[in-house]
Amino acid sequence: MGMFTVFATGCGDQSSDTIKIGANLEMTGSNATFGQSATNGAKLAIKQANEKGGVLGKKLELVVADNKSEAAEAANSMQKLISQDKVAAIIAPIASSSVMAGAQVNNDGKVLAISPTASNPKVTVDPDTGKVRDYLFRASFIDPFQGAVMANFASKSLKGKTAAIYIDTSSDYAKGLGQFFKETFIKNGGQIVSEEAYLAKDTDFKSTLTKIKSSNPDILFVPGYYQEVGMIIKQAREIGINAAILGGDGWDSEKLPEIAGTDALNNTFFANHYSPDDQSPAIQDFVATYKAEYGQVPDSFAVLSYDATMMIIKAIERAGSVDTVKIKDEMAKTKDFAGVSGMITLDEKHDAIKDAVVIEFKNGKQTFKEKVKPE
């Protein structure tokens, strides 16, 4: 960091008649669709706040820095937003690895960053020290919660007694979900009858699926990403596995039905952050407003970024100033914040305690199944 390490901390820009909120997002590169959606969500929150007269008598301004979907670039963007743009708070990147890459920068600069979606537990708790990262927050639930949600859904809603787990051992995400699914499913009185593994980029799953089939599970839990998951579901159905197949938010892609086939996806379910089909008035109002603004249905990245931006705005209001340390302290006190994605309370680790949504595929279309509350 060298030449940038000495900067005025904890100030924001007191003199200006605008309050700047930074967005360190994936505008180009491999996750560009995520960053573009998140920017739209943040812009909408700021537009609405400004229409109501702004915050502390000042207008809000969004300053977007493109991290190019790269961790090193995310650290540079964090530096720029704090040192040059003098932002009061920051929407952190979508990807967990990029948030962690900039963690030291925003901590040293004493400016909070809140990620809409980064779900790895290490985002808010430094694994080396076990300490909570003072200036990092998230608006999403964490990976272990998804695993538990799907186990509760399997036991309680689907009345499953036996389950097989099939995980991508090259993915921390999948391993975490698998572990917490297993623990919760057993706690609920269920039995794990088979545990198998694959690696990302595998394409032929039939011999392992045949082994799983012989254990005759009620539930098959596959917490991977859509590319392999699509092939696993397709091949499972081809060899006659008719069990309900469950997963996490890594399934959320329009490509999944193309890969798996629409019929194979019947009786499959996954955890997600929100569904546009949820009939709650807050969601239906937001979907209509977003569609009017951008001509498309908001995805979970847009919704969670809108919520994260609103959480920043509320923290600035409660702080009564653009003192970034005070804003951080107020963010940490967030309780029962009524977001579009649900009621959000931040726990002592700065993680969002909130509902998850279970999505069911019907004829290849994602449909809202139910909301699941944290235990």
Side-chain angles (χ1 to χ4, degrees):
M1 293 283 113
M3 57 186 274
F4 279 128
T5 46
V6 184
F7 38 63
T9 58
C11 50
D13 188 347
Q14 306 275 5
S15 57
S16 170
D17 54 0
T18 61
I19 297 174
K20 291 179 181 174
I21 294 175
N24 178 355
L25 289 167
E26 293 83 337
M27 303 306 291
T28 56
S30 56
N31 294 333
T33 62
F34 298 166
Q36 287 155 9
S37 289
T39 303
N40 286 347
K43 278 183 179 159
L44 187 55
I46 283 172
K47 180 184 177 190
Q48 290 176 346
N50 283 337
E51 283 169 355
K52 289 178 183 159
V55 177
L56 310 182
K58 300 181 177 194
K59 287 281 188 230
L60 295 168
E61 180 191 341
L62 188 70
V63 183
V64 182
D66 177 15
N67 64 40
K68 303 179 183 162
S69 305
E70 291 168 16
E73 208 48 60
N76 294 337
S77 293
M78 204 62 96
Q79 189 74 63
K80 177 192 171 290
L81 290 168
I82 294 169
S83 305
Q84 292 175 28
D85 300 312
K86 304 274 192 285
V87 297
I90 295 167
I91 305 290
I94 296 300
S96 295
S97 53
S98 290
V99 183
M100 289 188 264
Q104 196 61 49
V105 181
N106 73 285
N107 194 64
D108 291 349
K110 292 188 164 43
V111 177
L112 82 82
I114 176 168
S115 173
T117 59
S119 55
N120 188 304
K122 292 183 280 202
V123 165
T124 55
V125 179
D126 185 334
D128 296 330
T129 63
K131 289 198 166 74
V132 175
R133 299 185 202 261
D134 219 14
Y135 285 85
L136 271 179
F137 302 84
R138 72 177 104 226
S140 64
F141 50 67
I142 59 174
D143 291 337
F145 173 58
Q146 290 195 68
V149 159
M150 292 316 286
N152 286 331
F153 176 74
S155 307
K156 294 169 185 176
S157 299
L158 299 181
K159 307 285 185 254
K161 299 277 184 277
T162 57
I165 299 174
Y166 194 16
I167 63 167
D168 170 2
T169 50
S170 61
S171 159
D172 287 337
Y173 163 79
K175 287 191 286 195
L177 264 64
Q179 178 197 335
F180 285 93
F181 177 90
K182 178 181 175 177
E183 286 173 12
T184 307
F185 191 72
I186 291 170
K187 195 173 79 188
N188 290 345
Q191 186 189 358
I192 305 296
V193 291
S194 176
E195 289 185 72
E196 298 293 341
Y198 66 91
L199 288 170
K201 310 264 193 291
D202 283 354
T203 55
D204 185 0
F205 304 94
K206 281 196 173 163
S207 63
T208 308
L209 286 167
T210 302
K211 252 166 85 178
I212 290 170
K213 187 187 176 188
S214 68
S215 68
N216 195 25
D218 299 331
I219 308 288
L220 172 55
F221 186 57
V222 191
Y225 293 111
Y226 64 88
Q227 189 66 44
E228 291 83 13
V229 167
M231 290 185 275
I232 288 168
I233 292 171
K234 182 175 194 284
Q235 293 170 31
R237 298 303 190 218
E238 283 169 0
I239 66 162
I241 293 177
N242 300 316
I245 305 177
L246 278 55
D249 62 351
W251 285 32
D252 188 13
S253 170
E254 62 209 12
K255 294 261 188 278
L256 186 62
E258 292 171 25
I259 300 164
T262 53
D263 288 349
L265 279 173
N266 288 329
N267 200 25
T268 69
F269 309 85
F270 71 99
N272 210 354
H273 304 271
Y274 126 101
S275 164
D277 301 328
D278 185 333
Q279 289 309 302
S280 95
I283 286 178
Q284 289 311 309
D285 287 354
F286 182 79
V287 170
T289 306
Y290 189 93
K291 273 169 85 169
E293 190 77 17
Y294 299 112
Q296 62 200 90
V297 174
D299 59 17
S300 57
F301 302 99
V303 170
L304 289 168
S305 180
Y306 177 88
D307 282 352
T309 308
M310 291 304 295
M311 287 163 76
I312 288 174
I313 291 168
K314 297 290 181 203
I316 294 170
E317 285 174 350
R318 292 197 303 269
S321 88
V322 289
D323 180 315
T324 60
V325 180
K326 286 184 184 162
I327 296 169
K328 176 266 297 182
D329 289 343
E330 289 302 328
M331 177 63 86
K333 296 176 194 167
T334 299
K335 190 173 190 295
D336 297 335
F337 166 75
V340 175
S341 65
M343 198 66 83
I344 298 173
T345 293
L346 294 180
D347 68 10
E348 68 283 357
K349 293 180 177 171
H350 298 174
D351 299 333
I353 304 302
K354 62 193 294 197
D355 297 350
V357 170
V358 177
I359 305 286
E360 176 178 8
F361 277 101
K362 289 188 176 170
N363 303 317
K365 295 267 185 294
Q366 291 190 20
T367 63
F368 173 71
K369 176 70 175 167
E370 65 182 64
K371 266 201 179 97
V372 183
K373 296 198 174 303
E375 290 284 299

